[in-house]
Amino acid sequence: MPDTTASDSAAPAASPRRDFIREMVADDVVAGRFGRAPATRFPPEPNGFLHMGHAKSICLNFGIAQEFGGTCNLRFDDTNPFTEDVKYVESIKRDVQWLGFQWDGEYYASDYFEQLYEFAERLVNNGRAYVDSQNESEIRAGRGTVTSAGVAGPYRNRSVEENLDLLRRMRAGEFADGAHVLRAKANLAHPNMIMRDPLLMRIRHAPHYRRGNDWCLYPLYDFAHGLSDAIEGITRSLCTLEFKDNREIYDWLVREVGFVNPPRQTEFARLELDYTVLSKRKLLRLVNEGHVSGWDDPRMPTIAGLRRRGVRPEAIRAFCEVIGVARKDARVEIATFEHAIRDDLNTIVPRVLSVLQPLKVVLTNYPEGQIEQMEAASYPPDSARNETRLVPFTRELFVDRDDFMEDPPKKFFRLAPGKEVRLRFGYLITCHEVVKNDAGDVIELRCTYDPATRSGNAPDGRKVQGTIHWVSATESLPCEVRLYDRLFSQADPDAVPDELDFISALNPESLVVMHGRIEPSVAKDAVGTRYQFERTGYFMSDEASTADALVFNRIVSLRDSWAKEVKKM
RNA sequence: UGCCCCUUAGCUCAACUGGCAGAGCGUCUGACUCUGAAUCAGAAGGUUCCAGGUUCGAAACCUGGAGGGGCAACCA
């Protein structure tokens, strides 16, 4: 396929997957359609934290700008003083940058209020907009229904002079909230409900987080969005499918206001991810009702939550790349995301030994008080790195409870009475005795080690099937390990009986705290260091972790084919 | 009940615009292995929503239907 994108220099090394939007943009360039370089924008409302759905949009908008040598603005769609806050502006900027993108212009719809007001007067002067003084329910009733046309209200044919006078006094603050609104004079019988004289501006005597009290006439989405795009010279205004019907008023407004080569709105499917919710409204409820510890709770699908969990921006970008962009409602399996996370971490993250559920093992033939330092490879063979560290080995060890069964099935390649296994980077050991407490719980295993197997191999050539991880009982460090799992226990949290809502689908075990042990080498590492706990999963030390009280978050578990095997049994 | 959008493998997407339906993830099998990880090799998996039509030839074009979704906030 010929490369016609005229973007040789701009495109990053990996050529991104082509989707229908990139096809359009490529075509824009070839056709010289807008008379300017491709220009996109990412336009969040600062009323919540960014989540994976936004990540998809960010990768699309900024990605297109990069690939086609264009620009991408960050614009805050801050037209509703009731819901917005600077703290959200700050989190959004941080998250976009963390994801690896830098905007060209940083704009605020609230900076366009004066200009938008001028447009409003222009529309009034041209007979394209009017001040309606009906109340909310009258307006709703006058709009008709999906099957019946709306009817003109009593104010629809006010004179230009009267409209102008009212509009100026609305701006001046002479009227109470709701007394009047500005509406487009479009078509009350239009089959597209959006076109039935949509509201353009409403009075809101409320402090705006940026404009304070100097403004009381706020534009609504349809009025502000497209015209803001046009002011910035955007070429493709990318948004999600639910705005499809709004495109008609978008086009109507930029045309009536008089923009030449106006931006074109193009819609794509929003992201849905299994076992979570991607809607600011719902995420806000999780925060406000205390189901999570905050917007950055590691179980949240927010960028801040994922960052705290330990997911890297590279994984998020790779995920967005692989899911693509289309016009069909998409619900992505969580396995796809987890694969992207593991794939990103696999070769770059050091391995470490950590036991989550310690079970004591005493090596009865190992000298008391002896400590051997075992050399352990910190990276897998397919990594570019080949560093090692030393792990202390002693007479008393801990292994994971899951790695012992008193009465194991045939294919259990781990510790069991009479069975021999390899301790990773250590010796071959054989279990001889199981010690139980009065309640019958296994509390200790008494084993012997084979001193000739320090390399991990038996000189006589005998093979063992299993290798398990371990930690010295005396030299290891205690640690808190937070095992995060899916936030909801069903793939679609909204698919609950009518009388319930998504809150009822929360997974009660989305956070399980374990008190485990970890090899001492990690004590020197900075907070935020990522590891693979061998045979367990990927972890990152939490920001609350200290040398005295180590805390690790599980980023994602390892693939576990044994667990699948168990399920079959 | 009006208008609009969507429908290709379990999931997400391709199919150079009418020319042998493919990829990633997932699943299964095997190899390798001091991580039951990773890696490698292979396999299974399709009435391209259905029914007609146009065509030498249809996933694509036309007609009709079905299923899913969006729109009647002074939210975005």
Side-chain angles (χ1 to χ4, degrees):
Chain A
M1 195 195 303
D3 178 13
T4 55
T5 58
S7 63
D8 324 301
S9 59
S15 76
R17 165 174 188 166
R18 266 309 171 88
D19 51 65
F20 77 100
I21 293 179
R22 277 176 243 254
E23 296 285 349
M24 279 185 196
V25 175
D27 193 55
D28 293 344
V29 172
V30 171
R33 181 137 42 225
F34 294 96
R36 54 188 187 270
T40 58
R41 101 272 91 115
F42 173 62
E45 182 188 11
N47 66 345
F49 277 55
L50 262 27
H51 53 65
M52 283 300 289
H54 296 105
K56 177 178 178 179
S57 174
I58 289 166
C59 289
L60 216 213
N61 280 291
F62 285 93
I64 284 174
Q66 283 174 5
E67 292 150 31
F68 293 93
T71 56
C72 181
N73 292 341
L74 175 62
R75 182 176 72 242
F76 293 95
D77 239 346
D78 53 354
T79 57
N80 183 354
F82 290 171
T83 55
E84 296 152 5
D85 196 286
V86 252
K87 74 181 180 204
Y88 297 124
V89 170
E90 282 155 10
S91 75
I92 288 167
K93 288 163 69 172
R94 179 182 183 199
D95 289 348
V96 171
Q97 285 178 317
W98 180 79
L99 276 173
F101 298 103
Q102 186 56 55
W103 47 90
D104 291 283
E106 176 180 328
Y107 299 117
Y108 296 80
S110 55
D111 287 342
Y112 301 146
F113 284 170
E114 283 79 4
Q115 196 167 356
L116 260 8
Y117 177 80
E118 295 305 317
F119 292 157
E121 286 207 358
R122 188 180 306 175
L123 291 170
V124 166
N125 276 315
N126 293 341
R128 298 302 191 199
Y130 64 99
V131 174
D132 195 341
S133 307
Q134 298 183 100
N135 66 34
E136 200 169 338
S137 57
E138 289 166 339
I139 288 175
R140 188 178 9 254
R143 192 145 35 212
T145 70
V146 291
T147 53
S148 63
V151 292
Y155 307 103
R156 194 167 196 263
N157 288 314
R158 288 216 250 233
S159 68
V160 168
E161 292 67 31
E162 190 183 357
N163 279 321
L164 232 33
D165 174 61
L166 252 12
L167 183 60
R168 286 173 181 159
R169 292 165 60 198
M170 285 162 75
R171 178 186 180 175
E174 289 186 26
F175 304 115
D177 291 11
H180 309 280
V181 292
L182 183 73
R183 298 181 72 177
K185 198 167 182 177
N187 178 0
L188 281 165
H190 201 106
N192 177 358
M193 296 295 297
I194 300 283
M195 293 303 287
R196 321 254 261 228
D197 287 12
L199 274 59
L200 267 22
M201 303 187 94
R202 82 296 215 184
I203 298 168
R204 226 104 124 154
H205 289 279
H208 185 277
Y209 77 99
R210 290 186 81 243
R211 301 301 304 257
N213 290 308
D214 74 324
W215 205 262
C216 66
L217 185 57
Y218 291 92
L220 279 130
Y221 170 83
D222 281 315
F223 187 51
H225 198 90
L227 293 171
S228 298
D229 285 342
I231 289 167
E232 293 174 22
I234 300 306
T235 57
R236 291 281 171 180
S237 176
L238 310 178
C239 64
T240 44
L241 248 22
E242 68 269 26
F243 294 101
K244 180 71 173 63
D245 290 342
N246 300 66
R247 185 160 90 205
E248 205 162 356
I249 191 65
Y250 184 111
D251 292 340
W252 188 93
L253 281 166
V254 294
R255 185 179 67 242
E256 294 298 342
V257 167
F259 282 96
V260 295
N261 289 330
R264 291 197 195 176
Q265 175 178 310
T266 305
E267 310 84 16
F268 62 94
R270 74 180 318 137
L271 172 65
E272 306 259 29
L273 240 194
D274 277 355
Y275 297 102
T276 191
V277 290
L278 295 181
S279 126
K280 273 195 279 195
R281 203 196 97 246
K282 288 176 189 149
L283 295 174
L284 183 62
R285 269 193 68 190
L286 293 176
V287 173
N288 287 345
E289 296 175 13
H291 298 110
V292 295
S293 64
W295 286 101
D296 69 341
D297 186 298
R299 291 166 293 181
M300 291 282 271
T302 52
I303 305 304
L306 264 4
R307 175 170 58 231
R308 180 156 185 187
R309 175 112 167 217
V311 174
R312 302 201 321 150
E314 287 82 352
I316 295 175
R317 281 190 255 122
F319 171 75
C320 289
E321 168 88 21
V322 83
I323 58 172
V325 177
R327 220 160 0 190
K328 174 175 62 160
D329 295 320
R331 158 157 243 112
V332 181
E333 289 177 342
I334 198 72
T336 307
F337 188 35
E338 292 182 345
H339 174 265
I341 297 170
R342 295 188 191 107
D343 194 45
D344 170 53
L345 261 15
N346 179 34
T347 57
I348 61 166
V349 150
R351 304 300 99 144
V352 120
L353 298 180
S354 173
V355 170
L356 268 35
Q357 300 182 77
L359 172 60
K360 183 172 278 187
V361 167
V362 177
L363 302 178
T364 54
N365 62 337
Y366 193 86
E368 263 183 85
Q370 177 171 306
I371 301 179
E372 286 180 90
Q373 297 293 337
M374 312 306 257
E375 187 175 37
S378 293
Y379 294 88
D382 50 345
S383 166
R385 309 222 211 171
N386 61 344
E387 294 150 41
T388 62
R389 85 273 178 196
L390 298 174
V391 186
F393 188 92
T394 54
R395 176 181 160 94
E396 295 198 349
L397 306 170
F398 288 122
V399 299
D400 241 306
R401 280 193 175 271
D402 289 347
D403 286 335
F404 172 78
M405 279 185 94
E406 200 171 5
D407 186 19
K410 326 115 278 298
K411 286 194 286 189
F412 186 78
F413 303 148
R414 309 179 187 182
L415 251 195
K419 285 193 69 177
E420 183 172 46
V421 294
R422 175 164 34 234
L423 295 178
R424 174 132 240 229
F425 309 122
Y427 294 97
L428 267 42
I429 64 168
T430 303
C431 177
H432 296 289
E433 189 188 343
V434 179
V435 182
K436 297 182 183 177
N437 63 12
D438 295 342
D441 303 319
V442 176
I443 54 168
E444 182 180 309
L445 303 176
R446 299 185 75 80
C447 306
T448 55
Y449 84 112
D450 180 347
T453 58
R454 170 154 182 167
S455 68
N457 291 308
D460 62 9
R462 72 180 188 277
K463 294 277 186 205
V464 294
Q465 290 207 85
T467 299
I468 64 175
H469 59 284
W470 54 275
V471 109
S472 162
T474 48
E475 303 298 307
S476 65
L477 274 13
C479 59
E480 177 178 325
V481 180
R482 299 172 181 166
L483 299 182
Y484 295 105
D485 201 350
R486 39 194 64 162
L487 229 198
F488 292 89
S489 44
Q490 55 183 252
D492 181 359
D494 289 315
V496 292
D498 282 345
E499 65 276 17
L500 300 172
D501 70 2
F502 72 103
I503 297 293
S504 68
L506 278 162
N507 175 9
E509 295 186 339
S510 59
L511 169 57
V512 175
V513 178
M514 310 281 255
H515 294 280
R517 309 284 303 195
I518 191 163
E519 63 170 77
S521 71
V522 301
K524 66 181 189 323
D525 295 331
V527 156
T529 301
R530 277 171 269 247
Y531 309 92
Q532 185 196 97
F533 290 4
E534 293 219 19
R535 304 209 312 130
T536 304
Y538 292 96
F539 292 78
M540 184 172 81
S541 59
D542 188 75
E543 56 196 38
S545 187
T546 66
D548 299 334
L550 295 166
V551 179
F552 298 94
N553 294 331
R554 182 168 70 190
I555 306 168
V556 65
S557 66
L558 253 31
R559 285 186 76 215
D560 189 351
S561 53
W562 170 246
K564 283 177 209 158
E565 203 61 44
V566 170
K567 241 180 235 176
K568 286 186 226 162
M569 300 184 329

